[in-house]
Amino acid sequence: MANLRLTFFLLLQLISTCYTAATSLHSRGLTNADRLKRGLPLKSPVFRRGTPTRRDSSPSNVPVPITYRGRVQVLDATTGSPLGWLSEGPSTNLVDSQSDAVQIELSTYPGVTSGLIAKCLSCSTTQNLGLKGSSITAYAYFSMVGTVPVTNTVSGIIHQPQVWTFDSSNNALQLSYTKAAGNIYTTMKLTSNKAFWVTPSATTIKGTGVKLQLVPLS
């Protein structure tokens, strides 16, 4: 008798299990609205991962700057003989020792060789080797200036950092600045007191014509 009862109990449990499994399989295909009508709990949310986006391995179109660092050597414009080195400012002059020369950094891009800024690396503050002068005179001189060009219409003072042209084939460093009047300042002169002046004419300032060359930092 006991065995019969146990068999009957196991049979009921098996039927219940099968019914529950069948109901579960059937309910999986139901919408949440159907489940609510039947008194069933809502489906658990399903989180699906999106399709990963393939990254473009092609190079960026943003140009990468080319940087040159070095000291500025002063050469005779006619003979090419070394005369000395360009010192730090505020007003630069000629020094004999390379260790005392100003260290600058030029950043340019492919195809861009003019209008460059010469950042001073050896200066204690953020400055640039540029041009300082007056809008009412026909000359200017090398000096440490800020990053932004300044023209004071009252005093006539000008500060110009974007005046350099660099030729990487021979490391030649040339200065060129056009004033509002149209005068183009490209002639660099070294006077007897070892000061540098830049003029639009070779006869404006007496002195030795010079050219500059960037000697890379070792």
Side-chain angles (χ1 to χ4, degrees), residues 38-110:
R38 301 188 181 201
L40 298 174
L42 298 179
K43 290 182 178 181
S44 300
V46 178
F47 299 96
R48 295 182 175 87
R49 292 184 179 181
T51 304
T53 303
R54 179 180 176 273
R55 292 187 177 182
D56 189 0
S57 59
S58 59
S60 172
N61 292 327
V62 178
V64 178
I66 305 171
T67 301
Y68 302 92
R69 294 182 175 183
R71 295 180 174 88
V72 183
Q73 187 176 34
V74 183
L75 308 173
D76 188 298
T78 303
T79 65
S81 302
L83 300 176
W85 300 84
L86 199 64
S87 73
E88 290 184 18
S91 297
T92 59
N93 55 15
L94 188 72
V95 292
D96 297 326
S97 175
Q98 180 177 355
S99 60
D100 296 330
V102 63
Q103 298 179 29
I104 66 169
E105 176 183 270
L106 292 164
S107 292
T108 182
Y109 294 90

Side-chain angles (χ1 to χ4, degrees), residues 105-188:
E105 176 183 270
L106 292 164
S107 292
T108 182
Y109 294 90
V112 179
T113 58
S114 61
L116 307 181
I117 291 179
K119 179 182 177 182
C120 179
L121 298 176
S122 52
C123 296
S124 57
T125 58
T126 303
Q127 298 185 79
N128 303 285
L129 176 63
L131 191 64
K132 183 181 289 187
S134 171
S135 60
I136 59 176
T137 58
Y139 53 84
Y141 56 92
F142 297 153
S143 179
M144 293 300 161
V145 297
T147 302
V148 180
V150 174
T151 300
N152 191 314
T153 56
V154 178
S155 64
I157 298 299
I158 56 173
H159 291 193
Q160 295 293 333
Q162 295 174 282
V163 295
W164 298 102
T165 298
F166 182 65
D167 186 347
S168 59
S169 64
N170 56 9
N171 289 342
L173 189 63
Q174 177 64 42
L175 185 147
S176 180
Y177 169 62
T178 304
K179 277 191 176 181
N183 293 329
I184 302 177
Y185 286 59
T186 57
T187 303
M188 296 179 285

